[in-house]
Amino acid sequence: MSSSSPHRRTSHTTPHRSTRRRAAAVALAGVAALVATAVQSGAATAAPKAPVPGAESVKLTPSQRAELLREADAATADTAAGLGLGAKEKLVVRDVVKDRDGTLHTRYERTYDGLPVLGGDLVVTTDAGKTERVVKATRAAIKVASVTPKISATKAEQQALSAAKAAGAEQPDADRAPRKVIWAASGTPVLAYETVVGGLQEDGTPNELHVVTDAATGAKLYEYQAVHNGTGNTMYSGTVTLGTAQSGSSYTLTDTARGNHKTYNLNRGTSGTGTLFSGSDDVWGNGSPSNAETAAADAHYGAALTWDYYKNVQGRSGIRGDGVGAYSRVHYGNNYVNAFWSDSCFCMTYGDGSGNTHPLTSIDVAAHEMTHGVTSNTARLVYSGESGGLNEATSDIFGAAVEFHANNPSDVGDYLIGEEIDINGDGTPLRYMDKPSKDGASKDSWYSGIGSIDVHYSSGPANHFFYLLSEGSGTKTINGVTYNSPTSDGLPVTGIGRAKAEKIWFRALTTKFTSTTNYAGARTGTLAAAGELYGTDSAEYKAVQDAWAGVNVGTRSGGGGGGGTSFENTADVAIPDNGAAVTSSVTVTGRAGNAPANLQAAVDIVHTYRGDLVVDLVAPDGTAYRLKNSSSSDSADNVNQTYTVDASSETANGTWKLRVQDVASRDTGYINGFKLTFP
């Protein structure tokens, strides 16, 4: 018989667009596409919404969650029919979140004719059995002419191996035979193969490269790395209590109070589980990296802190929400300067750093890696392009959140990632949330094309957003660290506090984001979350708008200039592929005389190839003002920009239209929102 026993230890001290018509969009279309009941629509700014009573999620026990999943699974056929899915489509339940008022947010994967649909995931929100909202990863109808491939699986596998070799993989091999799938994450759904390539990456990290190949043409559609990396360093967390298990006179690093999380010693190996740490004295480590137990104690402690944060703050019991713990592996490889999360083993793995003297087992790194697991079991943000940047930022955000929540006097909370690493040799951290560009590579703000850089750097705008939302802009000192956070538009942002910012991001992650969410979709999702939690006329909702505007995503709460009168239409309008122009309209009232010379037109369009689009602002008398021309060299996704128009010759009152036309074939999208602001 074993029993739980507290343990005390001693104190111790990236993707490139090569063609115009790339088959796989880096920041994919159809992000956070809401049905009409989920958005405010109309000719002018909709009336503010009060907070949704009971909108905050409840803490489900594993058994309660399992019962909700069983109920949802039993109703998948009815749910699919209610959503208007095709006869060959089926839903597979993956996760569920329940609000205090009984509202359910059920996350599904999709199959078509028995094949997995990649990019077909969706979240259905129901209240008393009635569908209130649907968030889809793609708006395209799932339908292919045939599920019989024209190329062989062998050819697809060869292409995948070539891609891995080109990325510097060592001894790549296919982990399993390519599987047939429907690729729906960009453009028109097609039959494809998905091949997973194993072996090792260039730096010694295990390789799980997913390559998607068109089953008709053999063209590579997409690739992404499933092993999610992060970097940190041993944090001197002082004397801490660890959860262990006792059997007879022996103890093991098995945390029976936290899903039986275990910590193993790989002893410089790079595969397998390793050996479970055990001992007779229930004392682990001595504060020195030369003692193998020291890194194990840090990793075990970090996992416990992360478990407690998600359970006690966010109401999630374990990474999957099922009460089952992952496990940790320390002492991976030789001089391995990294740490990573892997879905295939459901585990965190830590190297010992340069010279095997700096184990990467800090609090924020442990939380970062475990959060990759949470993301994988909720939104499943694809680890590439803008969604990959949001995936990394989510891990940084909750890495910081766990560090603050731990309230460890030896490692106080901060908005620095890996601040104890000294990997740069000068005492600087790995990443900065208040001004990401201080690391020399991360980006402070969104720009067209950000999805083409490494996900650890494209995470910058989301990290920056979270800091601004939590603390606001400008200079301030927190826990002894001085920050000075700028904004892209030069206007100030007032923070709402970290606790509220964490709640908003977690609710968006678990009930609004999908596998293909990009920055525009993240703004939509966090605004929806803030509206539900605090109301659309709240300071929190406006702060979300302002913080995103501070990183060049969308407009301010008062319009493009931080003030003025705005008229908005947030109803989705589908844009026909290579078809007729469509419009989104707002009716301006109560304005005397003519429009200003600095009229602000905020355009939010989700599209897989913005170069196809011609965008005009049409005045009430029919005069068109060109906002954007089409361009074959403009290969980015989406249009999320505020344009300044000299409309001083136009009467202000009347119906203004945003007119959009797709003038080339193969790429799709929709108008997500249109706002006209009179400064």
Side-chain angles (χ1 to χ4, degrees):
M1 174 181 288
S2 64
S3 63
S4 177
S5 171
H7 158 74
R8 301 190 68 80
R9 65 178 173 85
T10 57
S11 175
H12 66 285
T13 51
T14 318
H16 174 70
R17 303 175 192 270
S18 58
T19 62
R20 180 203 180 280
R21 295 291 178 191
R22 78 259 185 267
V26 172
L28 306 170
V31 174
L34 306 183
V35 294
T37 55
V39 297
Q40 293 293 321
S41 60
T45 303
K49 279 190 174 181
V52 178
E56 189 166 344
S57 302
V58 299
K59 299 176 182 179
L60 296 174
T61 66
S63 61
Q64 289 172 330
R65 178 178 178 274
E67 179 59 28
L68 289 173
L69 291 174
R70 281 192 293 270
E71 292 174 359
D73 187 61
T76 52
D78 290 340
T79 302
L83 295 176
L85 302 186
K88 293 184 178 182
E89 294 180 76
K90 295 184 184 303
L91 294 174
V92 179
V93 183
R94 186 153 62 80
D95 195 19
V96 63
V97 173
K98 184 178 182 178
D99 293 347
R100 295 188 186 281
D101 64 0
T103 300
L104 295 175
H105 309 270
T106 309
R107 189 176 293 275
Y108 299 90
E109 300 288 346
R110 246 190 290 189
T111 65
Y112 176 86
D113 207 3
L115 301 178
V117 180
L118 305 185
D121 52 301
L122 50 92
V123 182
V124 179
T125 297
T126 55
D127 182 9
K130 179 183 177 182
T131 298
E132 297 291 333
R133 179 190 298 112
V134 181
V135 184
K136 297 181 179 180
T138 178
R139 297 169 69 88
I142 308 300
K143 184 178 182 180
V144 297
S146 171
V147 292
T148 301
K150 294 183 180 180
I151 67 166
S152 67
T154 300
K155 182 174 180 180
E157 181 176 315
Q158 290 172 344
Q159 183 196 76
L161 292 172
S162 296
K165 290 177 181 176
E170 298 179 12
Q171 299 179 333
D173 62 275
D175 283 351
R176 57 178 180 265
R179 66 169 182 165
K180 288 196 298 182
V181 299
I182 304 299
W183 173 253
S186 63
T188 303
V190 296
L191 180 68
Y193 285 108
E194 181 192 33
T195 308
V196 181
V197 181
L200 297 176
Q201 297 180 48
E202 190 173 15
D203 67 350
T205 303
N207 197 40
E208 289 182 29
L209 183 69
H210 291 239
V211 180
V212 181
T213 306
D214 192 313
T217 66
K220 185 178 74 173
L221 298 174
Y222 199 73
E223 69 176 65
Y224 72 92
Q225 181 58 249
V227 175
H228 302 168
N229 287 45
T231 308
N233 189 33
T234 300
M235 303 295 294
Y236 299 102
S237 300
T239 300
V240 298
T241 299
L242 298 181
T244 62
Q246 181 181 6
S247 180
S249 61
S250 180
Y251 299 85
T252 63
L253 281 181
T254 303
D255 196 336
T256 57
R258 299 176 177 86
N260 285 320
H261 171 272
K262 294 177 170 63
T263 300
Y264 294 88
N265 184 5
L266 278 175
N267 195 28
R268 307 280 181 257
T270 57
S271 62
T273 304
T275 304
L276 180 63
F277 278 93
S278 62
S280 59
D281 60 2
D282 204 20
V283 175
W284 311 89
N286 63 3
S288 170
S290 62
N291 184 312
E293 291 182 352
T294 298
D298 276 334
H300 207 66
Y301 177 57
L305 292 174
T306 307
W307 177 285
D308 290 349
Y309 170 82
Y310 278 112
K311 183 176 182 179
N312 298 331
V313 178
Q314 303 295 356
R316 188 174 185 85
S317 181
I319 285 174
R320 288 191 295 246
D322 59 1
V324 177
Y327 66 89
S328 298
R329 305 184 303 176
V330 297
H331 303 307
Y332 173 90
N334 188 36
N335 298 312
Y336 180 66
V337 190
N338 221 326
F340 60 88
W341 164 267
S342 173
D343 285 334
S344 63
C345 69
F346 195 63
C347 71
M348 293 80 66
T349 304
Y350 305 92
D352 285 322
S354 178
N356 295 319
T357 59
H358 295 81
L360 283 83
T361 47
S362 62
I363 293 173
D364 55 355
V365 171
H368 178 109
E369 301 310 335
M370 286 183 72
T371 298
H372 277 309
V374 173
T375 299
S376 181
N377 284 275
T378 54
R380 197 170 286 185
L381 291 159
V382 175
Y383 203 60
S384 180
E386 290 192 24
S387 59
L390 291 168
N391 189 318
E392 268 298 309
T394 298
S395 283
D396 282 351
I397 286 167
F398 290 114
V402 170
E403 191 177 77
F404 273 105
H405 185 256
N407 196 28
N408 185 308
S410 298
D411 177 20
V412 296
D414 53 51
Y415 294 96
L416 309 175
I417 307 302
E419 64 273 13
E420 299 293 331
I421 296 174
D422 198 24
I423 198 170
N424 299 319
D426 57 6
T428 57
L430 182 64
R431 288 190 287 277
Y432 304 78
M433 300 184 81
D434 64 319
K435 187 178 182 182
S437 62
K438 288 171 67 175
D439 67 14
S442 294
K443 306 304 178 184
D444 290 336
S445 304
W446 181 89
Y447 64 92
S448 176
I450 195 172
S452 65
I453 67 174
D454 186 279
V455 295
H456 294 85
Y457 305 139
S458 63
S459 64
N463 280 339
H464 192 189
F465 159 81
F466 180 78
Y467 177 87
L468 289 170
L469 184 61
S470 299
E471 306 293 347
S473 57
T475 302
K476 59 198 64 185
T477 300
I478 304 166
N479 283 349
V481 179
T482 299
Y483 305 93
N484 188 6
S485 192
T487 59
S488 62
D489 57 6
L491 298 173
V493 171
T494 301
I496 60 174
R498 190 179 56 261
K500 289 180 178 179
E502 292 170 17
K503 288 285 188 183
I504 290 169
W505 192 271
F506 189 77
R507 185 169 181 83
L509 176 74
T510 54
T511 70
K512 307 293 184 286
F513 292 177
T514 69
S515 61
T516 62
T517 295
N518 61 6
Y519 271 104
R523 179 181 185 273
T524 299
T526 50
L527 281 171
E532 291 168 359
L533 291 171
Y534 306 109
T536 59
D537 197 33
S538 65
E540 291 83 359
Y541 187 89
K542 294 175 181 177
V544 171
Q545 291 177 297
D546 292 345
W548 277 123
V551 297
N552 197 34
V553 180
T555 58
R556 291 250 169 185
S557 56
T565 303
S566 295
F567 301 84
E568 184 175 19
N569 189 339
T570 57
D572 292 354
V573 180
I575 303 171
D577 184 26
N578 197 18
V582 294
T583 60
S584 176
S585 302
V586 296
T587 299
V588 176
T589 59
R591 304 292 301 184
N594 286 0
N598 61 339
L599 183 65
Q600 305 292 308
V603 178
D604 182 0
I605 299 173
V606 176
H607 200 274
T608 52
Y609 196 90
R610 57 175 281 155
D612 288 356
L613 302 178
V614 175
V615 182
D616 293 307
L617 176 65
V618 182
D621 67 357
T623 302
Y625 295 84
R626 179 60 47 90
L627 304 181
K628 177 190 173 304
N629 285 308
S630 62
S631 172
S632 61
S633 62
D634 188 2
S635 61
D637 304 308
N638 311 323
V639 180
N640 198 292
Q641 187 171 342
T642 298
Y643 298 89
T644 300
V645 178
D646 182 354
S648 56
S649 63
E650 305 291 342
T651 301
N653 288 339
T655 299
W656 294 74
K657 298 178 181 179
L658 180 74
R659 185 172 65 195
V660 182
Q661 185 172 15
D662 185 334
V663 297
S665 61
R666 295 185 60 183
D667 288 273
T668 58
Y670 61 98
I671 301 173
N672 193 45
F674 164 48
K675 179 188 286 187
L676 205 60
T677 299
F678 292 76

